[in-house]
Amino acid sequence: MAQALDALEASLPAQSNGSVEHLNSSVTVTKPTPYTFDLGNLLITDSNPLPPNPSQARLSSVARDCAQALINQLLTTCPITSSSEGVLMSLPPPTTPLPREKPVPAEKEKTKWEKFAAKKGIKDKKKEGKLVFDEETGEWVPKWGYKGKNKEGEGGWIVEVDEEKEKQGKGEDGGVRSEGRRERKEKVRRNERKQRANERKERPKGG
């Protein structure tokens, strides 16, 4: 062992003066002013003052002592368990508040529809899924689109006739089967017009 240390000492840079005292440093670290720890953040604070213009060797020695003291504190105060993933150490909650990298984002102002929905207790349909249960067929069908629930009755082989609407109908444009399709499309256009109007109201003035 002594021969190995001698060989390592000879290979050290000249600025270290060939010293290998840090290799023989004890795992027990004592300081005039005790360290303070925040194990949740793996943080150690050393309040002991440094001499003016400390050398690199002095800084390295202080850093080594701090690292050793932090490891000692972790091993003696934190619970250690073994699992199939390996040896795990449970850290306590952090005690030092850390600043954010960026400011807290401002809360986005609710749109007119969101305010209305919150007032009326209307839920977001996107969170309810894309399927709805059809009691007549006993199956889950899409709410919209191909074979959607909103097209119910358009493809049926028999359609109930409204006599008043039938009297007003003229030719193909007034067909009973196309009436539901026209109403559905008109409802979509009406909703689109309302959406555009709400967007114009929410848009900043002069933008």
Side-chain angles (χ1 to χ4, degrees):
M1 181 64 179
Q3 294 178 353
L5 291 176
D6 292 340
L8 181 59
E9 182 178 1
S11 63
L12 289 175
Q15 59 268 28
S16 65
N17 298 324
S19 176
V20 290
E21 292 181 358
H22 62 284
L23 296 176
N24 295 325
S25 299
S26 173
V27 296
T28 302
V29 181
T30 57
K31 292 286 184 176
T33 303
Y35 297 114
T36 55
F37 299 93
D38 178 7
L39 300 182
N41 285 321
L42 296 178
L43 173 66
I44 179 173
T45 303
D46 185 3
S47 301
N48 294 280
L50 289 171
N53 301 322
S55 63
Q56 184 62 42
R58 174 62 174 167
L59 295 176
S60 298
S61 177
V62 172
R64 190 219 72 88
D65 290 344
C66 288
Q68 183 65 63
L70 178 61
I71 294 173
N72 294 346
Q73 190 74 5
L74 290 169
L75 295 177
T76 55
T77 60
C78 297
I80 300 175
T81 57
S82 180
S83 66
S84 58
E85 298 181 356
V87 179
L88 304 177
M89 175 181 290
S90 300
L91 299 179
T95 58
T96 304
L98 299 178
R100 290 175 57 92
E101 179 183 359
K102 297 180 180 180
V104 179
E107 185 177 356
K108 187 177 180 181
E109 185 178 358
K110 293 184 178 180
T111 62
K112 184 178 179 181
W113 164 251
E114 290 174 341
K115 294 178 182 178
F116 175 79
K119 183 179 180 180
K120 297 295 184 179
I122 302 175
K123 297 181 180 179
D124 188 358
K125 293 183 178 180
K126 294 181 180 179
K127 298 180 181 179
E128 297 178 356
K130 298 181 180 180
L131 300 179
V132 63
F133 186 74
D134 190 342
E135 296 182 357
E136 295 183 2
T137 62
E139 298 177 351
W140 290 89
V141 297
K143 291 182 179 180
W144 315 97
Y146 179 65
K147 294 184 178 181
K149 186 70 173 176
N150 64 318
K151 297 181 180 179
E152 185 177 14
E154 293 184 7
W157 63 275
I158 184 171
V159 181
E160 184 179 357
V161 176
D162 188 326
E163 294 183 1
E164 293 297 329
K165 291 184 179 180
E166 184 68 13
K167 291 178 182 179
Q168 297 175 3
K170 297 180 181 181
E172 184 178 355
D173 292 338
V176 178
R177 293 184 180 277
S178 61
E179 183 66 26
R181 186 179 299 107
R182 285 199 300 271
E183 291 179 356
R184 176 171 52 82
K185 291 184 177 180
E186 177 59 28
K187 184 177 180 181
V188 171
R189 286 193 290 268
R190 192 161 55 246
N191 289 338
E192 290 177 349
R193 288 195 296 269
K194 290 182 179 179
Q195 183 179 359
R196 288 193 293 269
N198 289 336
E199 291 176 353
R200 288 194 294 269
K201 291 181 181 179
E202 296 294 335
R203 190 177 304 161
K205 295 182 180 180

